[in-house]
Amino acid sequence: MIRSLLLASTLLVACQPDTAVPYADPHADARPISWDQLLDRPRAAATARIAFGEGALEFGELWLPEGDGPFPVVAMIHGGCWLSQIPGTILQDYVAADLQEHGIAVWNLEYARIGHETGGWPGTFADIADGIDHLRLVAQAHPLDLDRLVFTGHSAGGHLALWAAARGNLPENSAAWRETPLLPDAVVTLAGINDLADYRANGPGRCGEPATVDELIGPVETQTPALMAQVSPAAMGPIGVEQIIMSGDFDPIVPLSLGAHYTALAQARGDTVRHVVLTEAGHFELIDPTSPAWQDIRAELIEALGGE
C-alpha cells in the first residue's frame, strides 16, 4: 500500500523551466518526474561493488574517474522512504556517473531497510556507519583522497547522510556508536528528511508517514529524547560540520518548508547551515543529471570538496 501511495503521489505535473537557466534540458516538458521515469533511462555501471560486511545488503558501489588520482570523494546514500520495496543504489547511478565524469569518486551505499530482516533501528543505522567507515579500507586499495570528503543523500538517504555526519555525538552505549567514525568536510542533503519528528508530524504522507517513521525507529511511545538523539539529526545536537540543505520548490514528498524548519533549528544551535531552494524542481529532479537542479547541486558538491 505504501508503494502504491508513493507511485500515485509522483505522477507528472506539467511545468516549464525558467527560460533564464542557461542549460538545454531534454526533459523540460516533463517536470516534475517520478522515480520510475528516471529508471527508464539506460544506466552506466560502477567501477566495483565492494562488501563492507557479511550481509547481502552490506555493500557499496565505487565509481572511480579516469586518471591516477587521488580523487575527492562523495559518499552517497540513496533514498526510497527507508523501504525495501523501493529501488536501492540504482536510484543514484545517474548522478554517480555524472560526478565520476567530473573527476569525483563516488561511494554509493546500500543498506538494510524497512522490510529487510535487519532494517530499522538499529540495523539500518549500523549499516550506514559501517559502510561509511569502510571507506578507509577502500582508500587503501584505490586512489581516494579522504581529506576531501563530502556526504550526500536523497530524501530518506538525506536523513541518513546527515545522521552519518552527526554520529560523532552518539553516546557510547548506542548500538550505532563507532569508536572512530569517519566524518566529512560537509554534508549536502537533497530533499532530505532531516528531522524525523517534524516529518512524522508534518510530512505530506507521501512516504506513508507517520507509519514509516514508526517502522524505522519504533512506535511513538518509545520515541524518547534519548532515542531521538541517536536517530534524528535534528535532535543530535550541534553537528559541527558544514551543511547545505537543498529543496525543490515543487517537491510533493519532502516539501521545502521542512528544509526551512531544519535549517532554522540547526542555525539556532550554532551549526553552519544554508538552505538552497531549487526552482522548478520536484523531488526526483535532484537526482536527475539532465535537470537544471542537478547543475546547481553538482556545483555545491564541488565547492564543498574544495573546488575543482
Side-chain angles (χ1 to χ4, degrees):
M1 179 178 178
I2 291 173
R3 178 186 174 120
S4 298
L5 286 171
L6 181 64
L7 285 169
S9 74
T10 52
L11 292 175
L12 288 177
V13 177
C15 62
Q16 296 298 321
D18 186 345
T19 56
V21 175
Y23 180 73
D25 180 3
H27 302 280
D29 60 347
R31 300 288 180 201
I33 63 165
S34 57
W35 62 260
D36 52 338
Q37 290 172 306
L38 182 69
L39 295 180
D40 279 345
R41 304 176 199 167
R43 292 186 300 278
T47 306
R49 177 176 287 192
I50 301 170
F52 60 80
E54 297 182 359
L57 297 167
E58 294 176 336
F59 67 85
E61 293 186 335
L62 181 65
W63 298 71
L64 275 180
E66 294 184 1
D68 296 331
F71 304 107
V73 182
V74 169
M76 184 176 288
I77 305 172
H78 71 81
C81 300
W82 309 282
L83 294 170
S84 62
Q85 303 98 311
I86 307 299
T89 55
I90 60 174
L91 285 166
Q92 305 289 109
D93 282 353
Y94 303 97
V95 292
D98 180 86
L99 292 174
Q100 179 189 46
E101 291 173 3
H102 284 80
I104 298 167
V106 175
W107 178 236
N108 187 15
L109 280 180
E110 188 54 280
Y111 54 96
R113 291 165 269 152
I114 299 166
H116 295 132
E117 183 178 358
T118 59
W121 171 256
T124 294
F125 298 79
D127 279 355
I128 297 301
D130 293 339
I132 291 290
D133 289 346
H134 196 73
L135 261 176
R136 291 191 179 106
L137 290 178
V138 176
Q140 293 178 15
H142 299 279
L144 305 181
D145 181 2
L146 297 187
D147 289 329
R148 299 175 64 193
L149 173 64
V150 169
F151 294 172
T152 193
H154 177 245
S155 194
H159 156 247
L160 293 169
L162 192 54
W163 175 87
R167 65 195 174 103
N169 292 339
L170 289 174
E172 289 190 23
N173 64 354
S174 171
W177 179 85
R178 300 295 182 267
E179 185 174 1
T180 55
L182 179 62
L183 302 178
D185 301 305
V187 58
V188 181
T189 72
L190 312 178
I193 301 171
N194 309 305
D195 184 336
L196 292 184
D198 194 13
Y199 198 62
R200 187 187 189 283
N202 300 308
R206 303 298 179 90
C207 266
E209 70 281 358
T212 45
V213 174
D214 296 345
E215 289 182 85
L216 179 71
I217 62 173
V220 66
E221 295 82 10
T222 67
Q223 292 173 25
T224 63
L227 174 65
M228 297 305 284
Q230 297 179 67
V231 297
S232 179
M236 294 175 77
I239 294 174
V241 170
E242 180 186 3
Q243 301 160 58
I244 300 99
I245 309 302
M246 309 199 79
S247 302
D249 63 348
F250 290 165
D251 192 334
I253 299 174
V254 186
L256 67 87
S257 60
L258 297 178
H261 294 169
Y262 174 79
T263 300
L265 182 156
Q267 289 174 340
R269 72 187 181 194
D271 274 332
T272 301
V273 190
R274 285 188 293 118
H275 187 210
V276 179
V277 177
L278 301 161
T279 60
E280 304 290 338
H283 193 66
F284 295 97
E285 281 77 12
L286 277 62
I287 54 170
D288 174 5
T290 73
S291 75
W294 175 252
Q295 315 309 305
D296 294 337
I297 291 166
R298 188 207 302 126
E300 291 282 359
L301 290 168
I302 289 172
E303 182 179 352
L305 288 165
E308 292 186 282

